[in-house]
Amino acid sequence: MQFETVIGLEVHAQLLTSSKMFCRCSTDYINSPPNSHVCPVCLGMPGVLPTINRQAVEYTIMTALALNCEIPSSTKFDRKNYPYPDLMKGYQISQYDMPLSRNGWLEIDNNGEKKRIGITRVHLEEDVAKLLHQTDLSGESYSLMDVNRAGVPLMEMVSEPNMSSPEEARLYLTNLHSILRYLGVSTANMEDGSFRCDANISLRSGEKSFPKVEVKNMNSFKAVYSALKYEQERQQKVIEEGAHLVQETRGWVEEEGITVSQRSKEYAHDYRYFPEPDLPPLTVESPWVEEIRAQIPELPNAKRQRFQSEYGLSAYDADLLTSSREFADYFESCIKFTAAEQLSNGRAKAVANWMLGEFLRMLNVQGMRIAESRVTPQQLTDMMDMIDHGALSVTLAKQVFEEMFNTGETAKEVVDEKGLTQITGEDEIGPIIDQVIQDNPKAVGDIKQGKSKALKFLTGQVMKQTKGRAKPDLVNKLLEEKVQ
Ligand code: ZN
Ligand code: MN
């Protein structure tokens, strides 16, 4: 049997508002003691009244617009009822049949093959409390509850089941993730649960569709990919063995690399949705939508294409540079400090090389973001100017840059302090070359026989003697003259 894979993703992202969805409590719960940001509303006390957080609505509309969704003029909130200890009221305020937005799409690029993934809806709801499962010394287990997270605005983005491989799902997710970060509507940190993904996956063979499985508990892009890959194979095996595949929810167990059955899948009617009686229906008028649309920054896809056309960068470089907004902004700040003439001499590519090479390597070693680095765009640009003017060789510049990175000093300060200027004078370099020639008679013989490799070797020796301070083309020229 030939199988096709059908995948749809549901992503929940916490919104970066300062207060919660329906009360004034602070959303900054991660660095706060448990249960310190709570009030009668988010504790779910009877008789209290929620109010709608305007910023959360605007962030949701902004995201929906970035995902090419329609924004209906009327929307409302609904109660989604289910009993669970982390759900303070016994229901979650969510949106059912009149979400803030619907019918959008997101384009993914799978090795040059572009595909639009439909977005069913982007709606707004509230997060639940956090349960912490503990075991005491006697082996007795119990659970603690932190209500700080309850009521934090949560945006849910539901895709159409348009993805046909785990790879497409991964691409959709990384694209969505970077859009949220570009918009600045969510930290979208997967590790702390600000960005969570549930996946629906099923197989199809010709006209026949097999039951759908929902996979939960995936805490990284890699986990989503691996869980889908695992499910794809598991479902196919069950079908081929003639066993019965059931519609259910399964959890990904990272340590074992498998999914396990959690419960049978709920249906919408299990939640007994009904309109939230404590909140008025919301009217979203088009001037408001346009005001929000005007605040949308250039998005990753557009930026990636512009970096290629405007700066002549490769798709690969443009992709890496636009992976985050601050990285892209840093690049463009460097360009701002660069003269037009330098730009036509390949400076943009050189900036990209520095950023994606030495700079990124050091950031990764330190686990730092580029915005946290002490090297400013002006400083990086000045250092590159010194290379262009011959004051620094590329080898030297690497040492200088490392020092700049560690101390926050300018290239000029580092060079002056450490005496790292390039040796460009023949009188200073001549004696060193003579010495190297004297020490390496075999290489000299090889050069005389026309072996260019030997010349490279000798140049290397001179660079070593001068700790990289000699000007390579000058060394080359002098060596050629002297060896004749
Ligand atoms: Zn509260
Ligand atoms: Mn939800």
Side-chain angles (χ1 to χ4, degrees):
M1 231 190 284
Q2 279 292 332
F3 293 102
E4 278 172 75
T5 305
V6 182
I7 298 170
L9 298 180
E10 259 180 50
V11 174
H12 286 88
Q14 286 177 342
L15 293 173
L16 258 177
T17 55
S18 49
S19 60
K20 292 189 184 179
M21 188 61 225
F22 300 114
C23 61
R24 287 169 177 269
C25 291
S26 161
T27 51
D28 177 28
Y29 67 90
I30 288 175
N31 304 309
S32 309
N35 301 311
S36 55
H37 294 318
V38 294
C39 74
V41 173
C42 56
L43 279 166
M45 299 290 178
V48 296
L49 290 175
T51 46
I52 301 171
N53 184 327
R54 184 185 180 97
Q55 180 77 78
V57 173
E58 292 184 345
Y59 278 169
T60 304
I61 293 175
M62 185 186 276
T63 306
L65 290 172
L67 295 173
N68 309 291
C69 290
E70 297 159 13
I71 314 290
S73 58
S74 42
T75 175
K76 69 174 169 66
F77 288 93
D78 301 275
R79 288 191 181 179
K80 180 180 182 181
N81 301 279
Y82 64 96
Y84 203 74
D86 64 11
L87 191 62
M88 302 316 295
K89 301 185 287 284
Y91 59 84
Q92 178 192 36
I93 303 181
S94 179
Q95 296 196 285
Y96 182 49
D97 53 345
M98 292 171 69
L100 268 163
S101 69
R102 50 183 18 141
N103 298 332
W105 50 267
L106 171 65
E107 187 175 83
I108 58 169
D109 185 338
N110 195 356
N111 281 321
E113 194 189 312
K114 293 196 162 68
K115 182 172 175 181
R116 274 187 187 186
I117 309 298
I119 306 281
T120 317
R121 58 193 282 158
V122 179
H123 76 239
L124 191 50
E125 55 190 38
E126 56 178 334
D127 210 344
V128 296
K130 202 176 166 74
L131 292 175
L132 300 136
H133 305 290
Q134 314 277 324
T135 308
D136 67 16
L137 292 171
S138 65
E140 193 84 35
S141 58
Y142 60 99
S143 296
L144 295 172
M145 186 157 71
D146 180 3
V147 188
N148 281 351
R149 196 178 71 177
V152 167
L154 204 56
M155 177 172 66
E156 179 172 332
M157 292 149 285
V158 184
S159 87
E160 289 289 305
N162 291 158
M163 288 157 272
S164 43
S165 67
E167 179 55 18
E168 285 186 5
R170 196 186 63 76
L171 285 168
Y172 169 86
L173 216 53
T174 48
N175 272 287
L176 184 61
H177 185 257
S178 95
I179 288 173
L180 297 192
R181 287 207 166 158
Y182 264 66
L183 294 174
V185 299
S186 175
T187 64
N189 285 332
M190 265 183 129
E191 320 83 64
D192 63 28
S194 303
F195 185 91
R196 306 168 220 157
C197 173
D198 299 330
N200 285 298
I201 172 168
S202 63
L203 297 184
R204 194 164 61 195
S205 183
E207 290 295 290
K208 174 137 182 64
S209 288
F210 294 95
K212 176 168 88 171
V213 166
E214 181 174 17
V215 191
K216 290 182 176 287
N217 292 345
M218 299 164 292
N219 298 322
S220 65
F221 295 123
K222 191 170 161 282
V224 174
Y225 179 84
S226 311
L228 287 172
K229 199 98 190 138
Y230 175 86
E231 265 306 299
Q232 203 179 25
E233 283 162 27
R234 185 190 69 84
Q235 291 177 17
Q236 182 166 344
K237 207 163 151 234
V238 172
I239 297 166
E240 282 171 347
E241 283 169 354
H244 186 56
L245 200 59
V246 288
Q247 171 153 341
E248 62 180 346
T249 299
R250 297 176 71 89
W252 171 244
V253 186
E254 180 77 42
E255 308 77 48
E256 297 172 54
I258 58 168
T259 64
V260 293
S261 181
Q262 288 184 323
R263 54 191 150 92
S264 64
K265 169 85 186 141
E266 308 86 350
Y267 294 88
H269 61 250
D270 293 331
Y271 292 119
R272 295 172 294 118
Y273 278 101
F274 63 86
E276 168 58 58
D278 291 338
L279 290 171
L282 199 63
T283 306
V284 181
E285 283 167 5
S286 58
W288 190 24
V289 175
E290 292 319 308
E291 216 173 277
I292 296 165
R293 195 194 301 277
Q295 294 167 31
I296 297 179
E298 184 179 35
L299 294 172
N301 267 336
K303 209 182 270 292
R304 197 175 300 133
Q305 272 156 29
R306 186 170 61 80
F307 274 24
Q308 291 176 59
S309 57
E310 195 171 330
Y311 304 121
L313 296 175
S314 67
Y316 181 78
D317 284 350
D319 208 28
L320 290 174
L321 284 174
T322 55
S323 62
S324 81
R325 190 171 157 189
E326 59 178 43
F327 216 68
D329 286 349
Y330 192 102
F331 172 79
E332 289 207 289
S333 296
C334 291
I335 297 299
K336 221 173 55 203
F337 293 122
T338 305
E341 177 203 319
Q342 289 171 311
L343 281 179
S344 48
N345 283 328
R347 171 58 81 86
K349 172 70 184 153
V351 173
N353 287 347
W354 271 97
M355 285 185 63
L356 300 172
E358 289 298 297
F359 206 168
L360 189 57
R361 187 180 62 77
M362 287 188 206
L363 289 169
N364 286 341
V365 168
Q366 304 281 330
M368 268 164 74
R369 302 197 341 254
I370 200 160
E372 296 165 333
S373 148
R374 290 196 269 180
V375 182
T376 64
Q378 175 81 70
Q379 287 176 352
L380 179 61
T381 314
D382 287 348
M383 185 201 77
M384 298 186 69
D385 287 347
M386 288 172 75
I387 301 174
D388 283 3
H389 301 149
L392 273 179
S393 67
V394 173
T395 325
L396 265 187
K398 284 185 181 166
Q399 291 178 47
V400 170
F401 182 79
E402 189 162 349
E403 198 62 22
M404 290 166 67
F405 186 88
N406 291 328
T407 62
E409 290 177 326
T410 65
K412 187 158 181 326
E413 284 166 344
V414 174
V415 164
D416 289 349
E417 237 164 68
K418 306 235 157 186
L420 286 172
T421 41
Q422 184 157 252
I423 307 171
T424 50
E426 290 192 21
D427 36 334
E428 194 178 344
I429 214 164
I432 301 168
I433 291 183
D434 291 340
Q435 188 63 46
V436 165
I437 289 175
Q438 205 180 332
D439 293 347
N440 296 280
K442 185 171 178 312
V444 173
D446 287 348
I447 293 174
K448 286 187 173 148
Q449 284 169 34
K451 293 186 184 165
S452 60
K453 234 176 148 179
L455 184 65
K456 252 191 196 145
F457 170 75
L458 286 190
T459 307
Q461 291 303 305
V462 176
M463 295 307 287
K464 212 164 134 190
Q465 293 287 323
T466 58
K467 298 201 169 61
R469 291 173 54 224
K471 196 166 186 260
D473 39 351
L474 179 66
V475 173
N476 249 311
K477 182 186 138 237
L478 291 177
L479 269 172
E480 273 177 334
E481 283 171 16
K482 288 185 192 250
V483 168
Q484 293 316 317

